[in-house]
Amino acid sequence: MSAKHAWTRVVTTSLPARSTRLAGEVSSGVKLLWKTNDAVWDDTADTLQDIKTVGHNRNGFDSVVETDVLRSLYLVGGAVLFGLGSGFTSSSDSLMSGAPSYLKQGSETTNITGTQKDYGSEQTYDKNTNTIQYTTVAKFPPSVSSPMPSASASSVSSPIPRHCMLQAHAARVVHAVHSLTIAVTGGAGFVGSHLVDRLMLLGHEVTVLDNFFTGSRTTVSHWVGHPNFEMVRHDVVEPFLIEVDQIYHLACPASPPHYQYNAVKTIKTSFMGTLNMLGLAKRTKARFLITSTSEVYGDPRSTPSARTTGDTSTALAPDGVDVRVARIFNTFGPRMNPYDGRVVSNFIIQALKGEDMTVYGDGKQTRSFQYIHDLVDGLILLMNGPETRPVNIGSAHEFTILDFAEAVRDIVEKVQKEEGNPLAKRVNLIHKDMPVDDPQRRRADTSRAKETLGWEPKWELWQGVEEMVRYYSAKMKEGAI
Ligand SMILES: O=c1ccn([C@@H]2O[C@H](COP(=O)(O)OP(=O)(O)O[C@H]3OC[C@@H](O)[C@H](O)[C@H]3O)[C@@H](O)[C@H]2O)c(=O)[nH]1
């Protein structure tokens, strides 16, 4: 991330510093004071560091990649390299000056010339970094009018011509012995697409199965053409035959309005889909990770969520299927459908558009939110570790929805100011009816994840929210939202 976007120091009032904050504490009266806008400086507060890498290297599986490379797949617009005229000569330094470093490297090594191609791909191996640069000239780029990466924007005044767009992605070279064949059901969804990015950057062979009910091709379209990638339109209620080492089973609508829209179909997807994928796991002896949900804990009211409820994996183990069960708690991040109705996307989109922010009920209900990269870390650790009992993956920092709304509003205002388009007046928080059966409290007890996987969230809520605000803001400028 460029220096311009380096994380600023956050001072939290009414809250002890992160290191002394107690697990399970309900945060209240959260106030964000950004150093750039405020003279107050609290030496006891945390300094938010820009996170340079995500992932872990445990149990023989290395999932570490540079955060900037991941960001380039969602934060920077669709076009990352381009040339003009009849051939592609992506060597213009001034145009690339704001791009992440690995893309500059691509611009130096990539030179597609000759007659203009609508579609093509090229591989360049860089022995210094042990990476292969796959360069794909996209016939159908994600967005016609994508802005250029940050600093280079000023050099370009007109939209990038369709035929001149190029996408490049660096992927690790994995020795055949270590390269896994991995299926991700629901791989075009919000969580699935981030998991796919990580696995692809690590050099594995990834097959996405998705029926695109709630997922979207655009979330993974940047991998189309890559030799390790395959995208199959498939509904998991039907069986699927493939040879795989691992199956991440994520396929099912996750947003309340989506999974309630056709309840019978949702049940079918959950039962039949899981049955079919378990069958596949059994036949291929693949390890199978199922993504369950914090909803299984219902509404714990006064007590924080218990560690486990039921144990599917033990029940299935005798049948010879090697199962992992993740209980996913509230998660947010780029690529969440802006209109899927969940609270983080709703609040950010409403604040960015200057509309009223809708707090359901009195806003005293609580949630704990984790950033998408932490969830992906947890899923990969669980898949590749020995723990077979269900594991909660989520954040333990609980906030009331009303406090969260105020904090989101602060962050959106900060980003809008930095981007030079502050709103004329503050958006209002308004109250709407509480949905039926809305849990009053939810906080992840992640002690098992910590003990058995060595997993803990790395991202502060505010870092993630700011990144998501920048993502939606960029999409709005593209006209995609
Ligand atoms: O605009 C909004 C949206 C939501 N809310 C509130 O914010 C809280 C969180 O709502 P969300 O819809 O984001 O998420 P929920 O916690 O209800 O469900 C979520 O967590 C568990 C997963 O299994 C579900 O799939 C997931 O959507 C709720 O209390 C809801 O009432 C608002 O106050 N305003």
Side-chain angles (χ1 to χ4, degrees):
M1 181 162 273
S2 67
K4 199 174 116 215
H5 291 159
W7 303 111
T8 35
R9 184 169 182 153
V10 182
V11 179
T12 53
T13 58
S14 315
L15 255 188
R18 177 173 47 179
S19 50
T20 56
R21 207 179 295 160
L22 298 173
E25 177 183 3
V26 180
S27 310
S28 63
V30 179
K31 178 99 181 83
L32 290 177
L33 302 172
W34 298 91
K35 187 186 177 244
T36 44
N37 307 331
D38 205 296
V40 179
W41 185 267
D42 178 359
D43 272 331
T44 62
D46 288 346
T47 301
L48 293 185
Q49 300 291 338
D50 197 4
I51 296 174
K52 299 262 189 280
T53 59
V54 293
H56 302 267
N57 189 352
R58 303 224 183 99
N59 295 313
F61 193 94
D62 179 2
S63 64
V64 179
V65 302
E66 279 178 39
T67 319
D68 267 356
V69 177
L70 280 177
R71 283 184 179 128
S72 72
L73 301 176
Y74 57 79
L75 212 54
V76 178
V80 290
L81 289 177
F82 65 97
L84 298 169
S86 60
F88 287 91
T89 51
S90 48
S91 55
S92 170
D93 281 347
S94 65
L95 297 175
M96 290 304 298
S97 60
S101 55
Y102 88 98
L103 293 177
K104 275 187 207 157
Q105 178 193 325
S107 75
E108 283 153 17
T109 55
T110 305
N111 188 18
I112 301 175
T113 52
T115 52
Q116 184 170 312
K117 300 173 186 173
D118 274 343
Y119 181 85
S121 68
E122 186 178 89
Q123 302 177 25
T124 314
Y125 175 61
D126 182 337
K127 63 178 181 331
N128 297 322
T129 56
N130 193 31
T131 60
I132 291 183
Q133 187 89 18
Y134 293 95
T135 305
T136 303
V137 183
K139 191 173 181 184
F140 302 108
S143 164
V144 179
S145 57
S146 304
M148 287 310 295
S150 51
S152 59
S154 56
S155 351
V156 184
S157 52
S158 58
I160 302 150
R162 211 165 227 271
H163 59 273
C164 289
M165 297 186 72
L166 240 125
Q167 298 181 73
H169 306 295
R172 241 181 246 176
V173 180
V174 180
H175 190 277
V177 174
H178 303 293
S179 174
L180 297 175
T181 310
I182 302 173
V184 182
T185 74
F190 158 54
V191 175
S193 68
H194 286 278
L195 178 64
V196 166
D197 279 353
R198 188 83 68 90
L199 297 171
M200 284 297 297
L201 289 170
L202 295 168
H204 298 288
E205 282 188 30
V206 179
T207 300
V208 164
L209 304 181
D210 207 299
N211 64 1
F212 306 119
F213 271 21
T214 56
S216 156
R217 285 171 194 78
T218 56
T219 60
V220 284
S221 58
H222 45 276
W223 292 116
V224 172
H226 192 295
N228 288 355
F229 180 77
E230 194 170 354
M231 181 154 71
V232 183
R233 183 190 192 117
H234 179 79
D235 191 324
V236 291
V237 302
E238 302 295 338
F240 191 79
L241 300 181
I242 186 178
E243 293 305 317
V244 279
D245 300 310
Q246 295 184 336
I247 302 167
Y248 287 89
H249 182 41
L250 277 63
C252 191
S255 161
H258 287 161
Y259 63 65
Q260 288 160 11
Y261 174 72
N262 186 343
V264 173
K265 173 73 186 172
T266 303
I267 293 168
K268 238 173 146 179
T269 304
S270 300
F271 282 87
M272 305 287 292
T274 304
L275 201 66
N276 285 328
M277 291 304 124
L278 276 170
L280 179 64
K282 187 173 177 194
R283 188 180 63 77
T284 57
K285 297 194 170 43
R287 188 171 281 181
F288 179 83
L289 184 147
I290 184 168
T291 49
S292 172
T293 162
S294 54
E295 296 280 352
V296 298
Y297 298 117
D299 185 358
R301 297 280 165 182
S302 55
T303 51
S305 305
R307 266 149 74 116
T308 60
T309 298
D311 193 342
T312 347
S313 50
T314 327
L316 290 164
D319 209 23
V321 187
D322 192 10
V323 176
R324 302 289 180 274
V325 182
R327 297 254 163 81
I328 302 180
F329 282 66
N330 296 66
T331 308
F332 70 99
R335 300 206 188 114
M336 265 185 113
N337 182 331
Y339 302 114
D340 85 2
R342 278 181 282 189
V343 71
V344 187
S345 43
N346 273 10
F347 282 173
I348 297 178
I349 295 289
Q350 287 162 346
L352 277 171
K353 288 186 169 176
E355 294 168 359
D356 293 341
M357 293 167 74
T358 53
V359 175
Y360 297 161
D362 58 11
K364 289 195 180 132
Q365 70 272 34
T366 69
R367 292 293 186 274
S368 55
F369 299 98
Q370 72 177 331
Y371 195 49
I372 182 66
H373 298 323
D374 282 328
L375 172 60
V376 171
D377 283 353
L379 294 178
I380 292 178
L381 279 171
L382 180 61
M383 173 64 105
N384 296 286
E387 179 57 71
T388 56
R389 295 169 300 172
V391 177
N392 292 343
I393 305 180
S395 165
H397 292 160
E398 198 176 0
F399 294 91
T400 69
I401 293 298
L402 193 57
D403 283 338
F404 181 63
E406 284 173 1
V408 168
R409 181 168 62 179
D410 282 353
I411 294 169
V412 170
E413 284 175 358
K414 170 185 177 282
V415 171
Q416 285 176 324
K417 224 178 200 175
E418 275 181 22
E419 292 184 348
N421 53 346
L423 285 177
K425 71 175 191 58
R426 293 208 97 179
V427 296
N428 296 316
L429 305 185
I430 59 161
H431 292 269
K432 284 202 163 175
D433 289 346
M434 189 81 159
V436 181
D437 290 338
D438 198 60
Q440 277 303 296
R441 281 197 77 178
R442 186 181 295 143
R443 178 186 77 80
D445 175 349
T446 54
S447 46
R448 180 173 287 168
K450 194 173 172 190
E451 283 159 22
T452 64
L453 309 179
W455 175 89
E456 272 187 299
K458 278 189 196 167
W459 293 71
E460 282 286 345
L461 178 63
W462 319 118
Q463 289 176 307
V465 170
E466 183 172 333
E467 190 150 310
M468 191 160 160
V469 171
R470 291 192 194 285
Y471 165 81
Y472 279 152
S473 172
K475 290 283 148 199
M476 284 166 88
K477 283 184 197 136
E478 279 180 20
I481 294 180

mmCIF file of all heavy atoms in Angstrom, residues 77-117:
data_model
loop_
_atom_site.group_PDB
_atom_site.id
_atom_site.type_symbol
_atom_site.label_atom_id
_atom_site.label_comp_id
_atom_site.label_asym_id
_atom_site.label_seq_id
_atom_site.Cartn_x
_atom_site.Cartn_y
_atom_site.Cartn_z
ATOM 1 N N GLY A 77 -8.088 -1.014 -9.451
ATOM 2 C CA GLY A 77 -9.123 -1.292 -10.448
ATOM 3 C C GLY A 77 -8.740 -2.457 -11.336
ATOM 4 O O GLY A 77 -7.662 -3.035 -11.212
ATOM 5 N N GLY A 78 -9.619 -2.810 -12.254
ATOM 6 C CA GLY A 78 -9.409 -3.977 -13.099
ATOM 7 C C GLY A 78 -8.128 -3.954 -13.900
ATOM 8 O O GLY A 78 -7.490 -4.972 -14.094
ATOM 9 N N ALA A 79 -7.720 -2.788 -14.384
ATOM 10 C CA ALA A 79 -6.543 -2.730 -15.257
ATOM 11 C C ALA A 79 -5.297 -2.480 -14.442
ATOM 12 O O ALA A 79 -5.263 -1.587 -13.612
ATOM 13 C CB ALA A 79 -6.709 -1.598 -16.251
ATOM 14 N N VAL A 80 -4.280 -3.256 -14.666
ATOM 15 C CA VAL A 80 -3.056 -3.028 -13.922
ATOM 16 C C VAL A 80 -1.862 -2.757 -14.821
ATOM 17 O O VAL A 80 -0.867 -2.224 -14.389
ATOM 18 C CB VAL A 80 -2.740 -4.194 -12.963
ATOM 19 C CG1 VAL A 80 -3.725 -4.213 -11.820
ATOM 20 C CG2 VAL A 80 -2.752 -5.517 -13.681
ATOM 21 N N LEU A 81 -1.926 -3.134 -16.049
ATOM 22 C CA LEU A 81 -0.878 -2.814 -17.000
ATOM 23 C C LEU A 81 -1.576 -2.446 -18.298
ATOM 24 O O LEU A 81 -2.625 -2.958 -18.594
ATOM 25 C CB LEU A 81 -0.001 -4.037 -17.306
ATOM 26 C CG LEU A 81 0.947 -4.568 -16.265
ATOM 27 C CD1 LEU A 81 1.630 -5.809 -16.819
ATOM 28 C CD2 LEU A 81 1.974 -3.533 -15.906
ATOM 29 N N PHE A 82 -0.980 -1.589 -19.055
ATOM 30 C CA PHE A 82 -1.604 -1.356 -20.358
ATOM 31 C C PHE A 82 -0.616 -0.767 -21.338
ATOM 32 O O PHE A 82 0.420 -0.219 -20.981
ATOM 33 C CB PHE A 82 -2.816 -0.438 -20.232
ATOM 34 C CG PHE A 82 -2.475 0.953 -19.788
ATOM 35 C CD1 PHE A 82 -2.318 1.964 -20.713
ATOM 36 C CD2 PHE A 82 -2.304 1.238 -18.445
ATOM 37 C CE1 PHE A 82 -2.010 3.242 -20.295
ATOM 38 C CE2 PHE A 82 -1.995 2.511 -18.034
ATOM 39 C CZ PHE A 82 -1.844 3.526 -18.951
ATOM 40 N N GLY A 83 -0.923 -0.924 -22.572
ATOM 41 C CA GLY A 83 -0.132 -0.325 -23.627
ATOM 42 C C GLY A 83 -1.075 0.332 -24.605
ATOM 43 O O GLY A 83 -2.280 0.199 -24.497
ATOM 44 N N LEU A 84 -0.545 1.056 -25.528
ATOM 45 C CA LEU A 84 -1.406 1.749 -26.477
ATOM 46 C C LEU A 84 -0.991 1.359 -27.892
ATOM 47 O O LEU A 84 0.116 0.879 -28.116
ATOM 48 C CB LEU A 84 -1.291 3.264 -26.306
ATOM 49 C CG LEU A 84 -1.728 3.785 -24.929
ATOM 50 C CD1 LEU A 84 -1.312 5.240 -24.776
ATOM 51 C CD2 LEU A 84 -3.240 3.649 -24.763
ATOM 52 N N GLY A 85 -1.874 1.572 -28.832
ATOM 53 C CA GLY A 85 -1.524 1.315 -30.228
ATOM 54 C C GLY A 85 -1.724 -0.139 -30.598
ATOM 55 O O GLY A 85 -2.437 -0.880 -29.927
ATOM 56 N N SER A 86 -1.026 -0.549 -31.656
ATOM 57 C CA SER A 86 -1.322 -1.869 -32.186
ATOM 58 C C SER A 86 -0.636 -2.991 -31.422
ATOM 59 O O SER A 86 -1.050 -4.120 -31.465
ATOM 60 C CB SER A 86 -0.918 -1.935 -33.657
ATOM 61 O OG SER A 86 0.466 -1.689 -33.735
ATOM 62 N N GLY A 87 0.443 -2.716 -30.731
ATOM 63 C CA GLY A 87 1.093 -3.765 -29.948
ATOM 64 C C GLY A 87 1.085 -3.371 -28.488
ATOM 65 O O GLY A 87 0.804 -2.233 -28.144
ATOM 66 N N PHE A 88 1.378 -4.301 -27.623
ATOM 67 C CA PHE A 88 1.440 -3.992 -26.199
ATOM 68 C C PHE A 88 2.871 -3.748 -25.800
ATOM 69 O O PHE A 88 3.693 -4.643 -25.857
ATOM 70 C CB PHE A 88 0.881 -5.147 -25.380
ATOM 71 C CG PHE A 88 -0.592 -5.257 -25.470
ATOM 72 C CD1 PHE A 88 -1.162 -6.056 -26.437
ATOM 73 C CD2 PHE A 88 -1.396 -4.547 -24.613
ATOM 74 C CE1 PHE A 88 -2.534 -6.159 -26.523
ATOM 75 C CE2 PHE A 88 -2.759 -4.649 -24.697
ATOM 76 C CZ PHE A 88 -3.328 -5.458 -25.663
ATOM 77 N N THR A 89 3.179 -2.560 -25.417
ATOM 78 C CA THR A 89 4.510 -2.279 -24.879
ATOM 79 C C THR A 89 4.292 -1.607 -23.543
ATOM 80 O O THR A 89 4.178 -0.399 -23.445
ATOM 81 C CB THR A 89 5.325 -1.365 -25.810
ATOM 82 O OG1 THR A 89 4.520 -0.243 -26.119
ATOM 83 C CG2 THR A 89 5.718 -2.075 -27.080
ATOM 84 N N SER A 90 4.209 -2.418 -22.536
ATOM 85 C CA SER A 90 3.827 -1.903 -21.217
ATOM 86 C C SER A 90 5.045 -1.397 -20.463
ATOM 87 O O SER A 90 5.342 -1.831 -19.377
ATOM 88 C CB SER A 90 3.135 -2.992 -20.433
ATOM 89 O OG SER A 90 3.889 -4.166 -20.514
ATOM 90 N N SER A 91 5.779 -0.496 -21.092
ATOM 91 C CA SER A 91 7.042 -0.102 -20.483
ATOM 92 C C SER A 91 7.031 1.346 -19.998
ATOM 93 O O SER A 91 8.038 1.873 -19.586
ATOM 94 C CB SER A 91 8.159 -0.284 -21.502
ATOM 95 O OG SER A 91 7.824 0.441 -22.650
ATOM 96 N N SER A 92 5.889 1.979 -20.083
ATOM 97 C CA SER A 92 5.855 3.383 -19.717
ATOM 98 C C SER A 92 5.944 3.558 -18.195
ATOM 99 O O SER A 92 5.007 3.305 -17.473
ATOM 100 C CB SER A 92 4.561 4.016 -20.229
ATOM 101 O OG SER A 92 4.427 5.292 -19.682
ATOM 102 N N ASP A 93 7.113 3.987 -17.743
ATOM 103 C CA ASP A 93 7.335 4.078 -16.301
ATOM 104 C C ASP A 93 6.382 5.064 -15.647
ATOM 105 O O ASP A 93 5.905 4.848 -14.548
ATOM 106 C CB ASP A 93 8.775 4.496 -16.003
ATOM 107 C CG ASP A 93 9.697 3.305 -16.148
ATOM 108 O OD1 ASP A 93 9.163 2.184 -16.230
ATOM 109 O OD2 ASP A 93 10.907 3.507 -16.195
ATOM 110 N N SER A 94 6.128 6.179 -16.349
ATOM 111 C CA SER A 94 5.282 7.188 -15.719
ATOM 112 C C SER A 94 3.886 6.624 -15.459
ATOM 113 O O SER A 94 3.262 6.905 -14.448
ATOM 114 C CB SER A 94 5.182 8.428 -16.599
ATOM 115 O OG SER A 94 4.519 8.082 -17.788
ATOM 116 N N LEU A 95 3.421 5.772 -16.361
ATOM 117 C CA LEU A 95 2.095 5.220 -16.188
ATOM 118 C C LEU A 95 2.061 4.154 -15.108
ATOM 119 O O LEU A 95 1.034 3.862 -14.540
ATOM 120 C CB LEU A 95 1.598 4.628 -17.515
ATOM 121 C CG LEU A 95 1.442 5.647 -18.638
ATOM 122 C CD1 LEU A 95 1.065 4.955 -19.928
ATOM 123 C CD2 LEU A 95 0.416 6.704 -18.292
ATOM 124 N N MET A 96 3.199 3.560 -14.843
ATOM 125 C CA MET A 96 3.246 2.489 -13.852
ATOM 126 C C MET A 96 3.724 2.960 -12.491
ATOM 127 O O MET A 96 3.842 2.165 -11.573
ATOM 128 C CB MET A 96 4.204 1.381 -14.332
ATOM 129 C CG MET A 96 3.691 0.588 -15.510
ATOM 130 S SD MET A 96 2.084 -0.139 -15.162
ATOM 131 C CE MET A 96 2.515 -1.201 -13.796
ATOM 132 N N SER A 97 3.995 4.248 -12.360
ATOM 133 C CA SER A 97 4.688 4.693 -11.160
ATOM 134 C C SER A 97 3.916 4.442 -9.867
ATOM 135 O O SER A 97 4.510 4.297 -8.824
ATOM 136 C CB SER A 97 5.021 6.181 -11.273
ATOM 137 O OG SER A 97 3.821 6.887 -11.424
ATOM 138 N N GLY A 98 2.604 4.354 -9.949
ATOM 139 C CA GLY A 98 1.855 4.145 -8.714
ATOM 140 C C GLY A 98 1.507 2.693 -8.460
ATOM 141 O O GLY A 98 0.901 2.364 -7.454
ATOM 142 N N ALA A 99 1.895 1.827 -9.375
ATOM 143 C CA ALA A 99 1.475 0.434 -9.241
ATOM 144 C C ALA A 99 2.313 -0.303 -8.208
ATOM 145 O O ALA A 99 3.444 0.074 -7.938
ATOM 146 C CB ALA A 99 1.607 -0.251 -10.596
ATOM 147 N N PRO A 100 1.758 -1.367 -7.618
ATOM 148 C CA PRO A 100 2.545 -2.152 -6.665
ATOM 149 C C PRO A 100 3.815 -2.683 -7.321
ATOM 150 O O PRO A 100 3.845 -2.889 -8.533
ATOM 151 C CB PRO A 100 1.607 -3.322 -6.328
ATOM 152 C CG PRO A 100 0.257 -2.891 -6.740
ATOM 153 C CD PRO A 100 0.429 -1.901 -7.838
ATOM 154 N N SER A 101 4.838 -2.934 -6.517
ATOM 155 C CA SER A 101 6.150 -3.244 -7.062
ATOM 156 C C SER A 101 6.144 -4.475 -7.953
ATOM 157 O O SER A 101 6.823 -4.514 -8.967
ATOM 158 C CB SER A 101 7.138 -3.422 -5.927
ATOM 159 O OG SER A 101 6.637 -4.400 -5.056
ATOM 160 N N TYR A 102 5.355 -5.478 -7.609
ATOM 161 C CA TYR A 102 5.440 -6.684 -8.420
ATOM 162 C C TYR A 102 4.896 -6.449 -9.825
ATOM 163 O O TYR A 102 5.269 -7.116 -10.766
ATOM 164 C CB TYR A 102 4.718 -7.862 -7.734
ATOM 165 C CG TYR A 102 3.263 -7.975 -8.044
ATOM 166 C CD1 TYR A 102 2.802 -8.845 -9.017
ATOM 167 C CD2 TYR A 102 2.344 -7.207 -7.353
ATOM 168 C CE1 TYR A 102 1.462 -8.946 -9.296
ATOM 169 C CE2 TYR A 102 1.010 -7.306 -7.619
ATOM 170 C CZ TYR A 102 0.569 -8.182 -8.593
ATOM 171 O OH TYR A 102 -0.755 -8.277 -8.863
ATOM 172 N N LEU A 103 4.043 -5.438 -9.948
ATOM 173 C CA LEU A 103 3.528 -5.139 -11.274
ATOM 174 C C LEU A 103 4.567 -4.404 -12.102
ATOM 175 O O LEU A 103 4.674 -4.574 -13.294
ATOM 176 C CB LEU A 103 2.257 -4.303 -11.176
ATOM 177 C CG LEU A 103 1.080 -5.045 -10.562
ATOM 178 C CD1 LEU A 103 -0.118 -4.138 -10.442
ATOM 179 C CD2 LEU A 103 0.744 -6.259 -11.408
ATOM 180 N N LYS A 104 5.365 -3.580 -11.416
ATOM 181 C CA LYS A 104 6.442 -2.905 -12.143
ATOM 182 C C LYS A 104 7.373 -3.956 -12.724
ATOM 183 O O LYS A 104 7.818 -3.864 -13.849
ATOM 184 C CB LYS A 104 7.221 -1.993 -11.195
ATOM 185 C CG LYS A 104 6.569 -0.648 -11.047
ATOM 186 C CD LYS A 104 7.472 0.234 -10.250
ATOM 187 C CE LYS A 104 6.645 1.279 -9.541
ATOM 188 N NZ LYS A 104 7.296 1.804 -8.392
ATOM 189 N N GLN A 105 7.628 -4.956 -11.903
ATOM 190 C CA GLN A 105 8.481 -6.026 -12.366
ATOM 191 C C GLN A 105 7.871 -6.647 -13.625
ATOM 192 O O GLN A 105 8.537 -6.900 -14.595
ATOM 193 C CB GLN A 105 8.580 -7.076 -11.265
ATOM 194 C CG GLN A 105 9.405 -8.285 -11.639
ATOM 195 C CD GLN A 105 9.159 -9.380 -10.614
ATOM 196 O OE1 GLN A 105 8.966 -9.086 -9.438
ATOM 197 N NE2 GLN A 105 9.156 -10.598 -11.045
ATOM 198 N N GLY A 106 6.546 -6.799 -13.576
ATOM 199 C CA GLY A 106 5.870 -7.344 -14.739
ATOM 200 C C GLY A 106 6.057 -6.453 -15.945
ATOM 201 O O GLY A 106 6.292 -6.924 -17.041
ATOM 202 N N SER A 107 6.005 -5.158 -15.723
ATOM 203 C CA SER A 107 6.119 -4.251 -16.859
ATOM 204 C C SER A 107 7.503 -4.324 -17.482
ATOM 205 O O SER A 107 7.678 -4.069 -18.655
ATOM 206 C CB SER A 107 5.801 -2.822 -16.429
ATOM 207 O OG SER A 107 6.877 -2.302 -15.690
ATOM 208 N N GLU A 108 8.481 -4.685 -16.667
ATOM 209 C CA GLU A 108 9.832 -4.790 -17.219
ATOM 210 C C GLU A 108 10.015 -6.084 -18.012
ATOM 211 O O GLU A 108 10.736 -6.124 -18.989
ATOM 212 C CB GLU A 108 10.860 -4.764 -16.075
ATOM 213 C CG GLU A 108 11.077 -3.360 -15.531
ATOM 214 C CD GLU A 108 11.514 -3.391 -14.082
ATOM 215 O OE1 GLU A 108 11.937 -4.452 -13.616
ATOM 216 O OE2 GLU A 108 11.408 -2.343 -13.428
ATOM 217 N N THR A 109 9.350 -7.124 -17.562
ATOM 218 C CA THR A 109 9.600 -8.412 -18.207
ATOM 219 C C THR A 109 8.593 -8.724 -19.307
ATOM 220 O O THR A 109 8.829 -9.562 -20.131
ATOM 221 C CB THR A 109 9.533 -9.551 -17.173
ATOM 222 O OG1 THR A 109 8.275 -9.456 -16.523
ATOM 223 C CG2 THR A 109 10.648 -9.462 -16.157
ATOM 224 N N THR A 110 7.487 -8.022 -19.290
ATOM 225 C CA THR A 110 6.442 -8.366 -20.251
ATOM 226 C C THR A 110 6.478 -7.439 -21.446
ATOM 227 O O THR A 110 6.525 -6.233 -21.304
ATOM 228 C CB THR A 110 5.056 -8.237 -19.583
ATOM 229 O OG1 THR A 110 5.073 -9.039 -18.426
ATOM 230 C CG2 THR A 110 3.957 -8.689 -20.505
ATOM 231 N N ASN A 111 6.469 -7.999 -22.581
ATOM 232 C CA ASN A 111 6.467 -7.174 -23.766
ATOM 233 C C ASN A 111 5.755 -7.918 -24.880
ATOM 234 O O ASN A 111 6.352 -8.698 -25.610
ATOM 235 C CB ASN A 111 7.922 -6.840 -24.155
ATOM 236 C CG ASN A 111 7.960 -5.817 -25.267
ATOM 237 O OD1 ASN A 111 6.978 -5.131 -25.513
ATOM 238 N ND2 ASN A 111 9.095 -5.734 -25.945
ATOM 239 N N ILE A 112 4.483 -7.718 -24.960
ATOM 240 C CA ILE A 112 3.728 -8.411 -25.996
ATOM 241 C C ILE A 112 3.645 -7.486 -27.195
ATOM 242 O O ILE A 112 3.086 -6.396 -27.107
ATOM 243 C CB ILE A 112 2.319 -8.773 -25.502
ATOM 244 C CG1 ILE A 112 2.435 -9.670 -24.280
ATOM 245 C CG2 ILE A 112 1.515 -9.451 -26.597
ATOM 246 C CD1 ILE A 112 1.113 -10.003 -23.641
ATOM 247 N N THR A 113 4.220 -7.897 -28.267
ATOM 248 C CA THR A 113 4.262 -7.018 -29.443
ATOM 249 C C THR A 113 3.637 -7.734 -30.637
ATOM 250 O O THR A 113 3.074 -8.813 -30.509
ATOM 251 C CB THR A 113 5.713 -6.632 -29.782
ATOM 252 O OG1 THR A 113 6.460 -7.833 -29.860
ATOM 253 C CG2 THR A 113 6.307 -5.723 -28.740
ATOM 254 N N GLY A 114 3.814 -7.107 -31.773
ATOM 255 C CA GLY A 114 3.277 -7.710 -32.998
ATOM 256 C C GLY A 114 1.864 -7.248 -33.219
ATOM 257 O O GLY A 114 1.474 -6.181 -32.755
ATOM 258 N N THR A 115 1.101 -8.047 -33.896
ATOM 259 C CA THR A 115 -0.257 -7.621 -34.202
ATOM 260 C C THR A 115 -1.085 -7.571 -32.934
ATOM 261 O O THR A 115 -0.854 -8.317 -32.002
ATOM 262 C CB THR A 115 -0.919 -8.605 -35.195
ATOM 263 O OG1 THR A 115 -0.772 -9.899 -34.645
ATOM 264 C CG2 THR A 115 -0.267 -8.524 -36.563
ATOM 265 N N GLN A 116 -2.029 -6.700 -32.949
ATOM 266 C CA GLN A 116 -2.849 -6.525 -31.753
ATOM 267 C C GLN A 116 -3.620 -7.793 -31.436
ATOM 268 O O GLN A 116 -4.227 -8.406 -32.297
ATOM 269 C CB GLN A 116 -3.834 -5.396 -32.028
ATOM 270 C CG GLN A 116 -4.662 -5.080 -30.824
ATOM 271 C CD GLN A 116 -5.426 -3.821 -31.076
ATOM 272 O OE1 GLN A 116 -4.872 -2.827 -31.524
ATOM 273 N NE2 GLN A 116 -6.703 -3.865 -30.804
ATOM 274 N N LYS A 117 -3.525 -8.184 -30.154
ATOM 275 C CA LYS A 117 -4.222 -9.412 -29.766
ATOM 276 C C LYS A 117 -5.391 -9.035 -28.863
ATOM 277 O O LYS A 117 -5.262 -8.193 -28.002
ATOM 278 C CB LYS A 117 -3.286 -10.316 -28.971
ATOM 279 C CG LYS A 117 -2.052 -10.749 -29.724
ATOM 280 C CD LYS A 117 -1.146 -11.501 -28.749
ATOM 281 C CE LYS A 117 0.173 -11.827 -29.408
ATOM 282 N NZ LYS A 117 1.125 -12.399 -28.452
#
